[in-house]
Amino acid sequence: VFMGPVKPTDWFKKEYEVDEVRYADEIVETLKEWGVGDLLTYHGKNRDSGLELPAPTFEGMDQFNVDSSELLWNTLAELRVIKCKDEVELLEFCCKVSSLSHIHTMRRVRPNTREFLSEAEFRYQSMLRGCARCGYNCIAPAGERNVVLHYGHAAEPNQEVVLPGQLKL
């Protein structure tokens, strides 16, 4: 897959404000340069979906001592529940933006319009309040579609007409 010209490392340093950038094909050389002998891989089973994230691999990985247990996976999963003061404040801000955007969107829903207009309005209102991205797929059903879990994706898009008198969640 061609995704355009490869950008130089200086571009990534500036764009992402990091001190060092290496390309993927330099991983073995970089790890050896840093004196790394042991690798802890990140893989495991998602506790919600049951989907398995496979262990990462790369050419030359056999030159290191690799711990393929789920130690890193389980440790990071547990750490996700611990939040510092800044993280709590950010989550509170995002919840407030989401709530206000939802209220505004629900007030603008009109009969005989498509569900995706509600999705667009919600995204727009979130952006106006400082959130450039949504943390989840927008679910904007009406009527019988309210009972469809995870509505609002490619297989069940927010495309139906909201009829007069239909419940809108």
Side-chain angles (χ1 to χ4, degrees):
V1 174
F2 180 73
M3 300 178 81
V6 177
K7 292 179 174 29
T9 56
D10 285 338
W11 182 89
F12 291 100
K13 283 183 189 178
K14 183 179 176 189
E15 181 72 14
Y16 296 104
E17 300 178 16
V18 294
D19 297 327
E20 191 168 346
V21 174
R22 303 285 179 105
Y23 294 114
D25 62 354
E26 301 171 317
I27 193 166
V28 172
E29 175 188 328
T30 301
L31 291 173
K32 286 185 175 184
E33 182 182 310
W34 291 346
V36 173
D38 299 323
L39 299 178
L40 195 55
T41 60
Y42 181 69
H43 71 99
K45 184 181 281 190
N46 183 298
R47 294 175 185 166
D48 295 323
S49 69
L51 297 175
E52 187 88 24
L53 177 71
T57 61
F58 58 88
E59 193 171 314
M61 192 170 177
D62 58 344
Q63 298 174 45
F64 302 92
N65 297 319
V66 179
D67 181 344
S68 294
S69 71
E70 292 187 356
L71 174 65
L72 183 59
W73 175 274
N74 291 329
T75 301
L76 292 177
E78 291 302 315
L79 287 174
R80 290 178 66 199
V81 301
I82 300 169
K83 305 291 183 226
C84 70
K85 180 180 177 275
D86 290 342
E87 288 173 306
V88 170
E89 287 176 5
L90 180 62
L91 288 169
E92 288 172 345
F93 172 78
C94 292
C95 287
K96 183 171 184 157
V97 166
S98 182
S99 295
L100 292 173
S101 298
H102 187 134
I103 290 167
H104 183 91
T105 300
M106 293 306 287
R107 287 180 176 156
R108 294 189 42 101
V109 174
R110 298 292 178 261
N112 301 312
T113 60
R114 298 253 176 216
E115 294 165 333
F116 61 74
L117 294 176
S118 296
E119 176 182 359
E121 184 68 28
F122 178 81
R123 290 177 181 276
Y124 174 67
Q125 292 299 322
S126 296
M127 211 170 231
L128 285 178
R129 290 173 169 82
C131 292
R133 295 188 174 96
C134 291
Y136 46 84
N137 287 337
C138 291
I139 301 172
E144 293 177 358
R145 293 171 302 285
N146 284 314
V147 299
V148 178
L149 289 177
H150 303 292
Y151 188 79
H153 55 79
E156 291 285 347
N158 296 312
Q159 68 180 8
E160 301 301 321
V161 173
V162 179
L163 300 174
Q166 280 188 320
L167 175 66
K168 177 83 171 147
L169 294 180

